[in-house]
Amino acid sequence: MRTYHCFWLLFWAGQPQQSFLTPLSKRTSGFPEKEKVLVLSGNSRQDLHRSKRSWMWNQFFLLEEYTGTDYQYVGKLHSDQDKGDGSLKYILSGDGAGDLFIINENTGDIQATKRLDREEKPVYILRAQAINRRTGRPVEPESEFIIKIHDINDNEPMFTKDVYNASIPEMSDVGTFVVQVTATDADDPTYGNSAKVVYSILQGQPYFSVESETGIIKTALLNMDRENREQYQVVIQAKDMGGQMGGLSGTTTVNITLTDVNDNPPRFPQSTYQFRAPESTPLDSPVGRIKANDADVDENAEIEYSITEGDGYDMFGITTDKDTQEGIITVKKALDFESKNLYILKVEATNTHVDPRFLYLGPFKDSATVRIQVEDVDEPPMFSRPAYIMEVKEDVPLNSVIGAVTAQDPDAAKNPVKYSVDRHTDMDRVFNINSGNGSIFTSKPLDRETLLWHNITVIAAEINNPKQSSRVPVFIKVLDVNDNAPEFAMFYETFVCENAKAEQLIQTLSAVDKDDSYNGHQFSFSLAPEAASSSNFTLQDNRDNTAGIFTRKTRYNRHETSTYFLPVVISDNDYPIQSSTETVTIRVCACDHRGKMLSCNAEALIHPTGLSTGALIAILLCIVILLVTVVLFAALRRQRKKEPLIISKEDIRDNIVSYNDEGGGEEDTQAFDIGTLRNPEAIDDNKLRRDIVPETLFMPRRTATARDNTDVRDFINQRLKENDTDPTAPPYDSLATYAYEGNGSVAESLSSLESVTTDGDQDYDYLSDWGPRFKKLADMYGSMDSDKDS
């Protein structure tokens, strides 16, 4: 008989299902639960399969988020081989075995050691086995089972965004879609209503509503106006458990902005505007600004202004300032206070972007009246014409009036006007003007051939206010008169061959006239009366302003006459007739048989020693060049021979000694300082003597070089001072003082005047005792004593 061993697993389940095993006595939860028994053996799957059960034999449930103090009981392993003697050992492996799930190896009890969270891991797969404790061999085959975490409502719904932002156009219909919010619940959607979310609106009614199942927010109020309120804040709640009591909830905020549509027409804040404009306002200058208010924004508030009617329709224009949406009124034509001083305009403001959906609200435009008052200003005089054109004949006498200009003050005061010519346009003062009536007259002769047009500017200024002035150009055309005689078009110098035949054409003449002829010039040519009969040539007028010179005789001799001067009279046909006499030079030349000139130098045959004009000019130029060369050479030689200031080193010009200057005697007190004789203490003991060569050698003094522009007198005084203070410069002179012997002199006074005052005679015998140097003196005074005795 075959024996089957069974392995039973007891699991603590939360499902209210019947167990076919004996209930366990120990419970870890207060919920009423049933036990499941699993017999594990070789054919256990066949033995334990029951079609009536709604759960699989190897799938078990465990509550999440267990809050008890003890370990949560899961189930029990049991084998029919277990005799209760401790010979079997139960082991557990798989997800969380040994850490999250532990088993009592003796009893087979399985417990969960930690709180389980279905959102972290909903299913655990484990394997159970019973082995012999002594041999370590399994007594039952290993069996696999599943533990599913049973969900509870422990997660509130979470929105995908913390804050939603949405916008819709203002004036939208009821039920207009705004935005959809979405919330998710982490609980098991397949078990109960823990993950069934329902939406509701907590804040934002009655303007908006939300669909409970989809979270779609729609408008709930008709004609919401942005101009009244632009921002709305809506709070949406998401609650699980189908919105039932006890369900968890979450909220989110939805910021809804109403966007603008063009539902407001422009409106002027006032019906009438007043502006003032000086009549001197330049064209296209602004006069004033007006603005129509529009409650809309951006392009819906853009306004276009126009002038629809009024007496100033063509005088003023209006444009739109795109930045401020203001209408700028500008001047189109010049204003004149004297002509019209008040203009009334009707200005219209219209939206540029009109929404047809809101045309029922009325026309999207508005109008206002603008009154413009023209102010009078002191205007400069105005000329009757913008420019004047005058004509004058060139032979008109001086001070002749050629025309007049007229200007007047446009103001109501009609101030008098004075006229003047802008001299910058008439530097030669050819014209002048009468300051009172504006008559222009000539002040210098005119010449059409010199200047055809004179363009001057006339100034008109108010007498009371000269700053108010205006200018006008005056164009004066000088008309031609026949005051110039015709003349040759060029200088004519031709030749005639010695072998020329009679009636042979040698030159064709033409003439020009500086005067202008409206019908064309008509010149007539003829020989001068003095040459008409005796001339060797004839002149033929061609009647086309040209004439030809023909030979009268057959042969010419250049040795007899080398040059002929033929006077020709040219006349015009204008009034008065002008004529001039021109000369044609005809030279007689030697020619070949074809009439080609060979030589015209007759002077070389008649005067073989003569020179031509070109040769004389060449000789004269050579002489001038030679003279210039000689002058330059002489100047260079003279510069080289110029002597230096000092020829030799011994030439000392400063030491000039004059011996023909006599002193002034005792009365001459200018030659020396007499004070030195009277005050011997003033004598400088350190002053060197100049009558002997000093024992101490002084180095020659170096003096500063005088500048090139130093005066000659300063130069001489400087040199004089240097030589006076130089003790080494000759001559060596000294000052000898004889008026004072000094204190304590051994020789006492040697004056003969003092000896005369004594009563007794002097004995000079002692002079003989002084030696041979005083022998002459002893003889002189000794002889005087002998003469006295005799």
Side-chain angles (χ1 to χ4, degrees), residues 741-785:
E741 287 83 6
N743 297 327
S745 174
V746 178
E748 296 181 351
S749 178
L750 299 177
S751 175
S752 60
L753 297 177
E754 186 179 354
S755 64
V756 175
T757 60
T758 59
D759 296 336
D761 295 333
Q762 293 289 335
D763 185 8
Y764 297 105
D765 293 338
Y766 61 87
L767 294 176
S768 301
D769 298 335
W770 285 6
R773 298 180 60 184
F774 297 92
K775 184 177 183 304
K776 183 68 174 176
L777 185 60
D779 292 342
M780 291 175 60
Y781 280 91
S783 61
M784 291 177 60
D785 292 340

Side-chain angles (χ1 to χ4, degrees), residues 661-674 735:
D661 186 11
E662 295 183 0
E666 295 180 358
E667 297 179 357
D668 185 5
T669 60
Q670 301 298 327
F672 58 90
D673 187 5
I674 194 66
L735 176 63

Side-chain angles (χ1 to χ4, degrees), residues 159-450:
F159 284 94
T160 56
K161 295 181 181 179
D162 294 335
V163 177
Y164 289 82
N165 293 305
S167 63
I168 58 169
E170 61 173 333
M171 309 298 290
S172 296
D173 296 332
V174 175
T176 301
F177 174 84
V178 178
V179 70
Q180 183 178 12
V181 297
T182 303
T184 58
D185 196 322
D187 293 328
D188 189 2
T190 62
Y191 180 76
N193 295 326
S194 298
K196 185 177 182 180
V197 178
V198 175
Y199 300 95
S200 62
I201 184 168
L202 300 182
Q203 176 183 325
Q205 295 175 334
Y207 306 103
F208 300 94
S209 62
V210 62
E211 293 184 356
S212 60
E213 295 182 359
T214 61
I216 295 176
I217 301 175
K218 299 179 180 180
T219 58
L221 190 65
L222 184 65
N223 294 335
M224 286 190 293
D225 193 359
R226 186 199 65 85
E227 286 72 32
N228 294 330
R229 183 177 178 182
E230 185 177 5
Q231 298 286 341
Y232 294 87
Q233 190 175 72
V234 178
V235 178
I236 302 297
Q237 182 189 64
K239 190 174 184 181
D240 59 11
M241 298 296 293
Q244 299 177 3
M245 184 70 67
L248 302 178
S249 64
T251 60
T252 187
T253 301
V254 182
N255 295 321
I256 302 175
T257 303
L258 297 184
T259 59
D260 185 56
V261 297
N262 192 5
D263 59 339
N264 293 279
R267 290 289 181 263
F268 283 105
Q270 58 192 69
S271 60
T272 304
Y273 293 86
Q274 297 275 355
F275 296 106
R276 292 180 178 272
E279 61 177 334
S280 60
T281 303
L283 298 182
D284 298 327
S285 297
V287 174
R289 289 173 174 253
I290 60 175
K291 183 177 182 180
N293 299 325
D294 194 326
D296 297 321
V297 295
D298 299 332
E299 67 174 13
N300 296 320
E302 292 182 0
I303 301 174
E304 183 178 356
Y305 297 89
S306 61
I307 299 175
T308 57
E309 59 184 56
D311 53 2
Y313 181 81
D314 58 342
M315 298 294 295
F316 300 92
I318 189 168
T319 58
T320 302
D321 188 337
K322 298 300 181 181
D323 296 329
T324 62
Q325 295 300 316
E326 293 178 319
I328 306 173
I329 301 175
T330 58
V331 178
K332 291 173 59 179
K333 293 184 178 181
L335 304 177
D336 187 6
F337 174 82
E338 287 73 25
S339 300
K340 188 175 180 61
N341 57 15
L342 178 63
Y343 294 91
I344 299 176
L345 309 174
K346 184 178 180 181
V347 178
E348 187 175 80
T350 307
N351 276 138
T352 56
H353 299 86
V354 179
D355 193 336
R357 296 177 300 171
F358 305 103
L359 289 177
Y360 68 91
L361 297 177
F364 283 78
K365 60 183 178 179
D366 195 15
S367 60
T369 301
V370 179
R371 299 170 59 90
I372 301 176
Q373 184 74 40
V374 180
E375 297 179 342
D376 187 24
V377 296
D378 190 6
E379 297 177 278
M382 293 183 61
F383 286 94
S384 60
R385 301 178 189 175
Y388 292 85
I389 299 177
M390 301 179 183
E391 294 181 348
V392 59
K393 291 185 177 182
E394 61 179 328
D395 61 345
V396 69
L398 296 181
N399 299 321
S400 298
V401 177
I402 61 175
V405 297
T406 304
Q408 62 179 358
D409 185 10
D411 299 323
K414 300 297 180 182
N415 294 321
V417 178
K418 64 177 181 179
Y419 303 91
S420 62
V421 177
D422 186 356
R423 291 305 174 188
H424 292 90
T425 61
D426 187 22
M427 302 294 291
D428 296 333
R429 296 180 177 271
V430 179
F431 301 95
N432 212 332
I433 191 170
N434 189 310
S435 62
N437 58 20
S439 299
I440 300 175
F441 55 89
T442 59
S443 58
K444 287 185 179 181
L446 302 177
D447 186 7
R448 188 201 69 86
E449 289 72 33
T450 302

Side-chain angles (χ1 to χ4, degrees), residues 1-230:
M1 179 178 180
R2 185 177 178 181
T3 303
Y4 297 93
H5 300 283
C6 297
F7 181 49
W8 301 87
L9 175 63
L10 301 179
F11 181 76
W12 194 272
Q15 296 269 359
Q17 297 168 343
Q18 297 294 326
S19 176
F20 53 86
L21 292 181
T22 303
L24 296 176
S25 60
K26 184 178 180 179
R27 295 289 183 268
T28 59
S29 175
F31 293 97
E33 297 179 349
K34 298 294 183 180
E35 293 181 344
K36 289 183 181 179
V37 178
L38 177 64
V39 179
L40 299 179
S41 63
N43 55 356
S44 62
R45 290 177 180 260
Q46 298 176 357
D47 296 340
L48 296 179
H49 177 70
R50 295 181 182 181
S51 59
K52 295 181 180 180
R53 301 291 185 182
S54 61
W55 43 267
M56 298 299 294
W57 66 270
N58 59 348
Q59 180 173 339
F60 308 101
F61 295 90
L62 184 65
L63 287 175
E64 67 170 337
E65 303 293 342
Y66 171 71
T67 58
T69 58
D70 298 334
Y71 289 162
Q72 186 177 8
Y73 185 78
V74 178
K76 182 181 180 65
L77 291 179
H78 182 75
S79 175
D80 56 357
Q81 298 293 325
D82 188 2
K83 305 299 182 180
D85 55 0
S87 62
L88 296 183
K89 178 180 179 181
Y90 299 96
I91 59 176
L92 188 67
S93 63
D95 294 339
D99 179 22
L100 184 59
F101 299 100
I102 59 175
I103 187 171
N104 190 322
E105 61 182 11
N106 296 322
T107 63
D109 294 328
I110 302 174
Q111 292 177 319
T113 61
K114 297 180 181 179
R115 296 176 59 182
L116 303 178
D117 189 357
R118 190 200 66 83
E119 286 71 32
E120 292 183 2
K121 190 174 179 64
V123 177
Y124 294 88
I125 300 175
L126 294 94
R127 291 178 296 279
Q129 192 175 30
I131 61 174
N132 188 296
R133 185 184 299 273
R134 186 185 58 185
T135 62
R137 294 181 179 179
V139 296
E140 299 287 351
E142 187 179 48
S143 181
E144 182 179 275
F145 63 95
I146 298 174
I147 301 176
K148 298 185 85 174
I149 307 301
H150 184 68
D151 183 48
I152 64 173
N153 189 16
D154 59 342
N155 292 280
E156 70 275 3
M158 298 292 294
F159 284 94
T160 56
K161 295 181 181 179
D162 294 335
V163 177
Y164 289 82
N165 293 305
S167 63
I168 58 169
E170 61 173 333
M171 309 298 290
S172 296
D173 296 332
V174 175
T176 301
F177 174 84
V178 178
V179 70
Q180 183 178 12
V181 297
T182 303
T184 58
D185 196 322
D187 293 328
D188 189 2
T190 62
Y191 180 76
N193 295 326
S194 298
K196 185 177 182 180
V197 178
V198 175
Y199 300 95
S200 62
I201 184 168
L202 300 182
Q203 176 183 325
Q205 295 175 334
Y207 306 103
F208 300 94
S209 62
V210 62
E211 293 184 356
S212 60
E213 295 182 359
T214 61
I216 295 176
I217 301 175
K218 299 179 180 180
T219 58
L221 190 65
L222 184 65
N223 294 335
M224 286 190 293
D225 193 359
R226 186 199 65 85
E227 286 72 32
N228 294 330
R229 183 177 178 182
E230 185 177 5

Side-chain angles (χ1 to χ4, degrees), residues 685-751:
D685 295 335
N686 296 327
K687 189 174 183 179
L688 301 175
R689 297 183 59 182
R690 298 177 65 87
D691 56 346
I692 61 175
V693 178
E695 296 178 358
T696 305
L697 296 179
F698 294 90
M699 297 298 293
R701 300 180 181 180
R702 295 183 179 180
T703 58
T705 305
R707 298 189 301 270
D708 295 339
N709 58 354
T710 305
D711 190 77
V712 177
R713 180 180 298 175
D714 296 338
F715 176 77
I716 295 175
N717 292 334
Q718 182 180 0
R719 288 291 183 265
L720 180 59
K721 182 177 179 182
E722 292 174 358
N723 286 274
D724 287 343
T725 57
D726 190 0
T728 62
Y732 305 105
D733 53 358
S734 61
L735 176 63
T737 303
Y738 297 98
Y740 185 73
E741 287 83 6
N743 297 327
S745 174
V746 178
E748 296 181 351
S749 178
L750 299 177
S751 175

